[in-house]
Structures are given as structure tokens and as C-alpha cells.
Amino acid sequence: MTDVRRGGRGWALCLLAVWVAGCTADGDALRSGLGGHVRDPAPADQGAVADAAPVDQGPDAAACPPEACNGLDDDCDGEVDEDADQRCGPSEAGTGICRAGIRACVDARLGDCAGAQRPLTEICDEVDNDCDGRVDEVDCAPCEPGTRQACFSGAPGEAGVGVCQAGEQRCGPSMRFGACEGEVPPADERCNGADDDCDGRTDEAVLDPEALCPVGVGACAREGRPRCTPDGLVCDGEPGAPTDEACNGLDDDCDGRVDEDFGVGQPCEVGVGACAVAGETACVEGEVACTAAAGEAAVEVCNGEDDDCDGVVDEPVPCYPGPDGTSGVGACRPGLAVCGAGCEGAVVPGPEACNGEDDDCDGAVDEGGQCRCTPGDTVACYEGPGAPDVGICRAGTRTCGQDHQFGACARQVGPMPETCDARDQDCDGAVDEGLDRACGSDVGRCRQGVQRCVGGGYGACEGEVTGRQEACNGVDDDCDGRTDEGLVRACGSSVGRCRQGQEACDGGGWGACQGETGPVAEACNGVDDDCDGRTDEGVQNACGDCGAVPEETCNGDDDDCDGRTDEGVQNACGACGRVPDEICNGADDDCDGQTDEGTLNACGQCGAVPAETCNGVDDDCDGSTDEALVRPCGTDVGVCTVGEQVCRDGVYGACSGRGPSGEDCNNADDDCDGTVDEGDGFELGCDLRSDTCVAGQCLCGGGPRCPISRECLNGRCIIIQ
């Protein structure tokens, strides 16, 4: 069973609001969540007072509507749902006992109507119970001061049904019965597991029995039925059974988290330089991966960024300022465009020299005549690729031989494969470029990452998927080359006599349960033999015990559990023990068919002869009626004075003293109860703009009376609707 008051902000904030208070702007219950089976929360006669006027926010304030109970700042004053409580109650509020209530705005919804009083049946209590502006308009006979009687202002037959209870009235000095104290009258039916309107039915028409509500979270989410309880609205239903969490984007173990055992939700990054995109780890096709996708590489430009995403920022790029078609021909070589400088290291066509090279880059070497040199002469040379003095590359020397021809280029240093050592071995102007290497393992679920060469050394392994604790899933989770190794778990039941066994993981699934103690047929032995959580069910005697049914004895109990108590063992009065003595109580105590025999007084009654009272009857059985009966009356409390009443024809006459009247807000004790100006402002003659009387003045909540445009409710001035 799910308590709809807990839980998050999902269905507890909306669906609960649907069931109890409604979610739509016009007050109708939102039907979509529960199939249209939830009724509106307030009766038709419960009006509402509009929200307080919004605070002036300047020229744009006119565009802001009045504040409503919706979790929004409607009136644009920076506060949410302030003064959004609404007045509720019957249309007769302010007349007689009828009072308006308040629907408090809590968590963006209006609650039940609290503090309202609807009209009741008129009774004799000096109060306008039915709120028609008249007091005790029923036939109210004088009463004996000090006497008490039961009272109930609900409909006949409602007292004692549901929450309704009768109260008690006391006859005051004015020979009128006072307020009905202790009664619980009927109210509007609410969803609380009680019969509020005292019609013999509980929570009727509050919820449609076909309404549905959610229970459980994640993969365990199911539908239940809403039910009213004394603690509020609950959802009856059983959530599904959780399973081991798998890397699949679902909450398999139903704990409100998704894939929490796989390190998901961690920051990650894909790509380098301008291609780097941040993301977070998530389960993708059963594996943990970074959800981001690397950006597309661009041409490297001089901007302080790694535009081509090779891990190097503003690295030199090839350039050649010579004529088209000459780069790479003869001595001509491209250079490198370095950020902030020109094209460095480029060799463009020059005059042909006698040096064994194609200096003018036309494809011919030393053309234009017999090229001769003086033996022993030297010239610089470099055969590339690339250019000398870039990276580790250096020019060599050609020496003129005895044949007057330059020999091979000696001691030159040319490019070689790049290594991670902070040097430019391939003489392209970039250091340690393109040297990323794989790291980590590719065994089982593990996936290799990348180590990047930075500052002449390799950094940490990035983007690898590491191993985890082995699970029974046919996968090598810990990346040791073995699958589901050494996995066992408990199986079976440990309820009652049952004992759990053990099952081993085989082929990605759990095998048969070994070594368990299973259930047997239930026997009457105080043991849960069938392991269903119940003991000796279906095998006990009529009394729910083992063995024979006990014999009946006279003790007020059904000893033999046959549905009868003390049968065949009671006395003539149908009780245990001897027959009681006859006493004067209007009952046949000794069960002989006679009542109060030998115990009555002269008046034929029990007890002493009664005293004479003013009732037109010879109470003391002396032949005279109402003889010499005079009594004091009234009170000297407040404005009242004590007087005297004389009994004539069975009725005391009028009291000669001054009696009480309805309490007014005048700094006097008009109703002679010892308290001046008690009651709320409406009872003391104050209008709707006041609710308290202080020192003979009508006030609202201790402050001044409300202005004409507002009325006082629970000590606050609110707009009159």
C-alpha cells in the first residue's frame, strides 16, 4: 500500500491533487490521471473569496492577474501563492451559528474547507441553529433551572450514526435550555475513513471505485486502487518484484535510481581540441559509454585552438611560396607556416650552380655546360624530405673529388618516425604529434581507452571501461577472462520449517536450488509446516486450538466455541451463580415474574416519598397539590437581578427580577454569565467587517474594523466576493 502523501514530486503533487483538490484552473478535478473517476472536492454551496489584490509593480502591474493557488507568482510581486487562501462555507455564513471557513493554500493546492459551519436543525438553546435569522422559532417550553436534557441539532436518527453524537443542554436561570454541549453534528462527507454526514455510509461518492493509482517505482511500477483511510488517501496495490540492476537504462531493482551500479552519470569527454564535447556516462547497449559525440575537425588556423583536433595547438602547417609545379622538384622543398611568422624553411627555385643539384627546380641538374669544381671544395647539401634545421633535421656537406665532381651528401640528418620524447623527429615543425596509443584491457566487458603524449610523456588512460564485480549474466564483468566464476546465492524460503538452499550461476542464469528444506502438509503442531507464514491453519478445532473442544462452563465465555455462551449452565435468571434478591428498581430481580414485590413506598414507588414539586400533581401523596411552593429566581450577575416565582396550576410564574438578554458589544454582561462581551463579533452584533469585540468596540483580529471593500475572516481582512 502506498501513502500518496510521500514520494516525490510526481504523482504525489499532481495525482493526489487530482483526487483531493483538483488541478485545473476552473476548479474541476483533473480527469486524465484517474480516468475521470474523482469528484470535485467542495460542495456546490461552498463559495470562495478571491485572492488578495496583487502588489503594485509599476506600469506592467495591470498585466498581472490576481494571485491564485497554483505554485506561480501570478501577481508579479516576487512571492508565490501569498494570500491565496480562499473563503468557503455556506451562503448563510454570518447568520446564526453559520460560519465561513478557509481553504488554505499549501503546496500549490487548496486544502479542505476548515472552520466552516453549515445550518443545522433548530433546537431550543437560545441560538439560531438553522441560520434563518430567528432564534428558537420552535415551541420551547419553560424548563426547571439546573435540569439537563439530551440534545442534537442534526436530523432525526443521525445521532449515534457515523461520527454524530448527541450532546447535553442545561436549563439556565431564564428557564431556557442553553447551548448543546458535546454534540457532534453531521458534516460534509470527506475522504477520511469516517461517516462524516452520518448516513450510515463511509466515504461514499468521494472516489469512483474504478479509479487507478500508481504503486512502486522503476520496473516495479504497477497500478492500484485509491482508498480513503483515517490517515488520508492511500493507494492499495502491490508493486512488482525488483531484480538485479542491469546496464539497460531501467530501474531494475526499483530503488528510484537507474543503472546506479555501473558508474553512470559521471562526467566524460570525447574528442580533443575543438572536437572535445562533454557528456556523461550512461548504459548503451549493455555497456557503459560516454553519451557525447566528438565534433568534426577543421583546418588548423592561428587562433590558439586545436582546430584539426590532433592534440596540438596552432602547430605548423606545410607551405610553399614558389611557382606552381616546382615544389618537390630538385632542391625545392615546402616549408612550414608557423603561427605568428611566415613560411619558414621553404626552398624555392634559384640560379643553377655547379653543385650536383637541380637548384632552379626544372628537373635538370647542373645544366648549362660542363660543371666542374676544384677538388677539395665543399658545399652544403640536404636531400630531405622536409627542410634542414627543422626539428632534428640538419644539412650535410658535398665534397669536390679529383674528377672535379661533387660527391654524395655526407653527415646530413634526415627525418625519422616520431616518438614521445618532446622532440620533432619527423621534422614537420610539430612535436610528439599523432602519438596517442591504446591503454587498458579489451577482455570481457572492459574496453580500452587512449593515452595521449603530452610534454614528452604519456598521460592517464582516458575513456576506458574498467571491470566491476562479477554478476550472473553471461558476461566477464571483472575482465579476468572468465565468465560468471564462483557465483552462488541463497534460494528457497526461510519461513516456518523451511530452510534456504544454494544455487550456482551457470551459463548466465541461476541453476537449480540445492540443499533446501521445502514445505510439507500442515499439521497441528505449532509449526508453520507449509511455510506460508501461518501456523496450524485448516487443522485446528472449532476454538482454533489443537485437540478436543473444551466443555462449556458458566463464566461468560463461549468455552466450546459453538457460538453460544454458558448454554445449559445458567440459573433461572439466565446468569451464573445463585438467583439474586429482589430490590426496588423496576425490575424482576429474582426472576419470579413479579416486579419490586414488597419494596414499594406509600406512593407505590421505590425509595423515599418524593418531595412536592410545581407540576399540578400530588407528588408526596398527601392529598394536596403544589402546596406552598415559592422559589427564588434569576441571578445578580451582570445586569440581572434576583426575583421570586410562585407555583400556580403546576407552573412557576414569571420571575420578578431582571433577566438576561442576548450579549451585545457594549462593555456590559447582557447575558449574565459573568463574562462581558464574550463570543465572536457576529454574535455580538458586529458586521462582517469585524470578528472580535474589545472594550465595547468591534474589531478585526485585534486591529481596526475592515474597510467597506473587505470582510473579516479568522482575524484577516479579505476581499468580499
Side-chain angles (χ1 to χ4, degrees):
M1 181 175 72
T2 298
D3 190 335
V4 301
R5 299 168 297 173
R6 303 176 181 169
R9 299 181 57 87
W11 86 296
L13 292 181
C14 186
L15 292 185
L16 176 58
V18 170
W19 295 347
V20 180
C23 285
T24 57
D26 61 0
D28 292 337
L30 178 64
R31 311 290 181 178
S32 60
L34 294 175
H37 300 300
V38 182
R39 73 169 191 173
D40 295 332
D45 63 344
Q46 293 191 356
V49 175
D51 303 328
V55 176
D56 187 3
Q57 297 295 308
D60 296 332
C64 298
E67 193 72 11
C69 185
N70 55 10
L72 303 176
D73 178 16
D74 304 283
D75 56 5
C76 315
D77 65 352
E79 298 183 66
V80 175
D81 292 347
E82 79 283 2
D83 299 325
D85 297 347
Q86 289 190 2
R87 181 173 181 253
C88 58
S91 58
E92 298 90 347
T95 303
I97 67 169
C98 292
R99 294 290 180 268
I102 286 288
R103 297 182 66 193
C105 180
V106 179
D107 294 334
R109 72 176 185 88
L110 292 170
D112 292 332
C113 187
Q117 175 62 59
R118 69 178 186 177
L120 300 173
T121 303
E122 191 73 15
I123 61 175
C124 292
D125 58 357
E126 299 184 348
V127 175
D128 179 12
N129 308 94
D130 57 4
C131 308
D132 64 352
R134 298 177 296 164
V135 176
D136 295 347
E137 66 271 19
V138 295
D139 186 14
C140 296
C143 60
E144 181 77 16
T147 59
R148 298 176 181 272
Q149 71 175 14
C151 57
F152 184 66
S153 55
E158 288 183 336
V161 178
V163 301
C164 289
Q165 296 180 4
E168 187 179 62
Q169 291 176 293
R170 180 179 180 275
C171 186
S174 63
M175 301 179 64
R176 300 288 295 272
F177 281 107
C180 188
E181 300 177 352
E183 76 160 335
V184 180
D188 295 319
E189 194 71 12
R190 296 191 303 160
C191 185
N192 56 6
D195 178 12
D196 304 285
D197 56 5
C198 309
D199 63 352
R201 299 176 296 164
T202 299
D203 298 332
E204 72 275 9
V206 178
L207 287 178
D208 191 300
E210 298 301 319
L212 298 176
C213 56
V215 294
V217 298
C220 300
R222 300 291 187 272
E223 288 184 333
R225 298 286 186 186
R227 177 169 61 87
C228 297
T229 72
D231 294 327
L233 194 63
V234 298
C235 186
D236 278 340
E238 287 296 328
T243 59
D244 292 336
E245 193 73 8
C247 190
N248 56 6
L250 302 176
D251 179 14
D252 305 283
D253 55 6
C254 309
D255 62 353
R257 299 175 296 163
V258 175
D259 297 338
E260 68 274 13
D261 297 337
F262 302 92
V264 297
Q266 300 300 314
C268 61
E269 187 176 85
V270 177
V272 297
C275 299
V277 177
E280 64 179 26
T281 56
C283 284
V284 179
E285 297 182 355
E287 300 292 340
V288 178
C290 191
T291 56
E296 294 185 4
V299 176
E300 191 75 14
V301 295
C302 183
N303 58 2
E305 301 285 343
D306 179 14
D307 305 284
D308 57 2
C309 309
D310 63 354
V312 183
V313 175
D314 293 342
E315 70 271 21
V317 296
C319 60
Y320 183 71
D324 291 341
T326 60
S327 178
V329 178
C332 291
R333 297 288 183 270
L336 290 174
V338 180
C339 188
C343 187
E344 297 181 353
V347 179
V348 298
E352 191 72 18
C354 186
N355 55 8
E357 294 193 10
D358 179 11
D359 303 287
D360 57 4
C361 306
D362 62 355
V365 177
D366 295 340
E367 73 275 14
Q370 182 67 31
C371 178
R372 298 182 63 80
C373 61
T374 301
D377 290 346
T378 61
V379 293
C381 60
Y382 182 73
E383 296 175 343
D389 300 324
V390 176
I392 66 171
C393 291
R394 296 292 181 268
T397 302
R398 294 181 188 275
T399 303
C400 185
Q402 295 300 318
D403 57 356
H404 300 277
Q405 298 289 332
F406 283 103
C409 189
R411 294 186 300 280
Q412 69 172 337
V413 179
M416 61 183 64
E418 194 79 4
T419 61
C420 185
D421 58 1
R423 295 193 302 161
D424 179 15
Q425 282 97 352
D426 56 4
C427 306
D428 62 354
V431 176
D432 295 343
E433 76 279 7
L435 296 179
D436 294 349
R437 69 182 182 185
C439 55
S441 173
D442 267 334
V443 177
R445 72 178 295 275
C446 293
R447 295 294 179 266
Q448 288 184 313
V450 175
Q451 281 183 299
R452 306 189 188 282
C453 179
V454 179
Y458 282 101
C461 192
E462 301 176 5
E464 70 172 327
V465 177
T466 59
R468 65 188 182 201
Q469 184 176 356
E470 195 73 12
C472 185
N473 54 8
V475 176
D476 178 12
D477 301 284
D478 55 7
C479 309
D480 63 353
R482 299 176 296 162
T483 301
D484 299 342
E485 69 276 9
L487 295 180
V488 295
R489 70 178 183 184
C491 56
S493 172
S494 60
V495 177
R497 72 177 294 275
C498 292
R499 295 294 178 267
Q500 288 183 310
Q502 194 175 68
E503 57 187 6
C505 182
D506 182 18
W510 295 103
C513 192
Q514 302 292 331
E516 70 171 327
T517 300
V520 297
E522 193 73 12
C524 196
N525 55 6
V527 177
D528 179 12
D529 302 285
D530 56 5
C531 309
D532 63 352
R534 300 176 296 163
T535 301
D536 298 341
E537 72 277 6
V539 293
Q540 297 170 323
N541 61 27
C543 293
D545 300 320
C546 297
V549 176
E551 294 182 357
E552 190 75 13
T553 61
C554 196
N555 57 5
D557 294 329
D558 180 14
D559 303 288
D560 55 4
C561 307
D562 63 353
R564 299 176 296 164
T565 301
D566 298 341
E567 70 275 10
V569 294
Q570 297 171 323
N571 61 25
C573 291
C576 297
R578 70 180 186 85
V579 175
D581 296 328
E582 188 76 13
I583 60 176
C584 192
N585 58 1
D588 181 13
D589 304 288
D590 54 6
C591 307
D592 62 353
Q594 303 177 63
T595 301
D596 298 339
E597 66 274 16
T599 62
L600 300 175
N601 62 22
C603 292
Q605 298 174 339
C606 295
V609 175
E612 191 74 11
T613 61
C614 183
N615 57 4
V617 177
D618 180 13
D619 303 285
D620 53 5
C621 306
D622 63 352
S624 299
T625 301
D626 298 341
E627 63 273 18
L629 294 179
V630 178
R631 68 180 184 186
C633 60
T635 179
D636 58 0
V637 176
V639 300
C640 295
T641 59
V642 177
E644 188 178 74
Q645 290 178 295
V646 178
C647 181
R648 292 187 179 89
D649 298 326
V651 178
Y652 280 106
C655 186
S656 61
R658 179 179 175 179
S661 62
E663 193 75 7
D664 287 327
C665 184
N666 57 5
N667 206 24
D669 181 9
D670 304 287
D671 57 2
C672 307
D673 62 353
T675 306
V676 175
D677 294 346
E678 74 275 14
D680 62 31
F682 298 136
E683 294 172 341
L684 298 178
C686 298
D687 58 27
L688 291 178
R689 293 175 292 153
S690 304
D691 65 353
T692 57
C693 176
V694 179
Q697 295 185 357
C698 295
L699 304 175
C700 180
R705 179 180 298 183
C706 297
I708 295 301
S709 62
R710 295 175 180 253
E711 65 180 41
C712 185
L713 184 61
N714 294 341
R716 295 166 52 193
C717 290
I718 62 175
I719 297 175
I720 299 175
Q721 295 297 303

